[in-house]
Amino acid sequence: MMDVKDFYYELPQELIAQDPLEDRSSSRLMVLDKKTGAVEHHIFKDITSYLNPGDCLVLNNTKVIPARLYGVKEGTLANIEILLLKRKENDIWETLVKPGKKCRPGTKLIFGDGLLRGEILEVMEDGNRLIQFHYEGIFEEILDRFGQMPLPPYITHKLLDKNRYQTVYAKHDGSAAAPTAGLHFTPELLASLREKGIEVAEVTLHVGLGTFRPVKERDVLKHHMHAEYYSIDQSAADRINRAKAAGHRVVAVGTTSTRTLESAADANGYLRQSSGWTDIFIYPGYQFKVIDALITNFHLPESTLVMLVSALAGREHVLAAYETAVRERYRFFSFGDAMLIK
């Protein structure tokens, strides 16, 4: 048994970052040595001095869709909020609906003066609902007009600029949450890394809310991850394989890039073009096949993400580093500061 309480730490509420910094790359950066547990304190743009020519930085280029929709139920005009989770076929989406109790199959929903309509088809085992949407035009354009960014519940401030919950290299629509470690990069910082001879490879993993689902089991090993869609093209696979073969490091930006690489690699850590669904759950004891270092944010107590970073750097080192971060007043979670585990 692995006790979920072993991944708990005390976090004062006021350290949860509510707003993004004006300059993305001016966040603080804690550097954690995974072998010794030693920490150093820097600013994020100093990351260039920790990456060496030939190292391969792996980015998740998924794009967050404005997946939160506010509407009303047809007939009663009761307010309803839905969150788009997963696109199925024929404009059918798996969704979270609030309040969900009275939203039975057949319930009709109206959004944005009727330009977007929905009908609940099915209530799934976990309480999620399948909704069939009807509209004229292009779904993505309608979402852009009426949808809001699905900020995590611990962020209570309104986001003034939608793009701040999006990485500067976001390309492929599909996430219900941002791969937040990437929010610290600017085009200028990426350009300076490339100039230094650092390889950059892009993969895609569409972040679902399963990533943030609390671990309800006391025994971590009984927790089941929701599946998320990933893809890696051949050119990214080649770059990562070349870096490894030449003895350079593969540095994942974020837990989502990490899960993509570790899901797609064969037993020897070799990658080839692939895509599919992954429900990989990485916790202490896991042997990493691909990544050597990780850039990540500070994660919620007892979350699967704290378990993942503990698998890489050791639980004691991670919890000690988090204690230091609290003492030094680092900013936590999505809009917070960053950590490099080297």
Side-chain angles (χ1 to χ4, degrees), residues 50-327:
Y50 283 94
L51 298 175
N52 307 316
D55 285 348
C56 186
L57 195 66
V58 183
L59 311 175
N60 178 8
N61 64 14
T62 187
K63 196 171 190 181
V64 187
I65 57 174
R68 183 166 274 136
L69 287 162
Y70 295 94
V72 294
K73 289 205 298 198
E74 193 176 271
T76 65
L77 296 187
N79 288 331
I80 199 92
E81 175 191 330
I82 72 163
L83 191 60
L84 303 174
L85 295 179
K86 222 180 262 175
R87 188 197 291 263
K88 306 288 191 181
E89 65 290 328
N90 307 328
D91 289 315
I92 295 170
W93 284 76
E94 183 180 337
T95 67
L96 276 178
V97 178
K98 279 195 338 202
K101 261 202 182 112
K102 293 180 180 168
C103 286
R104 301 185 182 95
T107 304
K108 292 188 164 62
L109 310 171
I110 305 168
F111 306 93
D113 309 326
L115 285 175
L116 180 64
R117 291 173 173 269
E119 181 182 345
I120 294 176
L121 300 181
E122 184 188 323
V123 179
M124 301 170 77
E125 254 178 50
D126 53 8
N128 291 352
R129 281 151 173 79
L130 290 183
I131 296 181
Q132 166 96 60
F133 286 102
H134 304 280
Y135 54 90
E136 283 185 14
I138 297 167
F139 189 70
E140 284 70 21
E141 286 179 6
I142 291 170
L143 264 195
D144 260 347
R145 280 181 65 186
F146 301 118
Q148 295 192 13
M149 281 301 189
L151 295 180
Y154 50 74
I155 294 177
T156 55
H157 290 192
K158 191 162 169 50
L159 183 64
L160 299 175
D161 175 4
K162 269 186 188 175
N163 287 327
R164 292 313 308 272
Y165 193 57
Q166 206 77 275
T167 62
V168 297
Y169 47 79
K171 284 193 185 81
H172 303 297
D173 284 335
S175 276
T180 54
L183 295 178
H184 306 284
F185 287 92
T186 63
E188 297 76 19
L189 182 53
L190 287 167
S192 69
L193 288 168
R194 286 188 170 100
E195 269 168 43
K196 189 177 171 179
I198 287 133
E199 286 284 342
V200 177
E202 295 187 9
V203 299
T204 306
L205 180 134
H206 292 320
V207 189
L209 291 184
T211 302
F212 305 105
R213 213 163 50 111
V215 179
K216 294 197 170 123
E217 304 280 356
R218 177 77 188 266
D219 182 0
V220 168
L221 309 185
K222 290 182 178 160
H223 178 74
H224 180 67
M225 297 285 279
H226 274 217
E228 295 167 315
Y229 179 80
Y230 75 89
S231 70
I232 297 181
D233 66 22
Q234 194 57 50
S235 78
D238 289 342
R239 282 177 184 202
I240 297 161
N241 292 336
R242 271 200 307 272
K244 280 199 89 63
H248 298 298
R249 292 177 306 167
V250 174
V251 183
V253 176
T255 56
T256 59
S257 300
T258 301
R259 293 177 64 242
T260 303
L261 296 177
E262 295 296 321
S263 298
D266 68 16
N268 301 313
Y270 185 81
L271 293 160
R272 53 177 59 85
Q273 180 168 336
S274 64
S275 64
W277 294 85
T278 178
D279 60 359
I280 190 171
F281 179 17
I282 295 175
Y283 49 81
Y286 180 83
Q287 297 296 311
F288 287 87
K289 297 177 287 191
V290 185
I291 77 156
D292 304 292
L294 171 64
I295 296 167
T296 188
N297 280 19
F298 292 89
H299 304 293
L300 278 80
E302 298 184 349
S303 63
T304 61
L305 305 178
V306 165
M307 294 167 195
L308 185 152
V309 294
S310 297
L312 183 63
R315 186 181 68 89
E316 290 81 4
H317 289 168
V318 167
L319 291 181
Y322 272 49
E323 268 179 40
T324 303
V326 168
R327 200 166 54 244

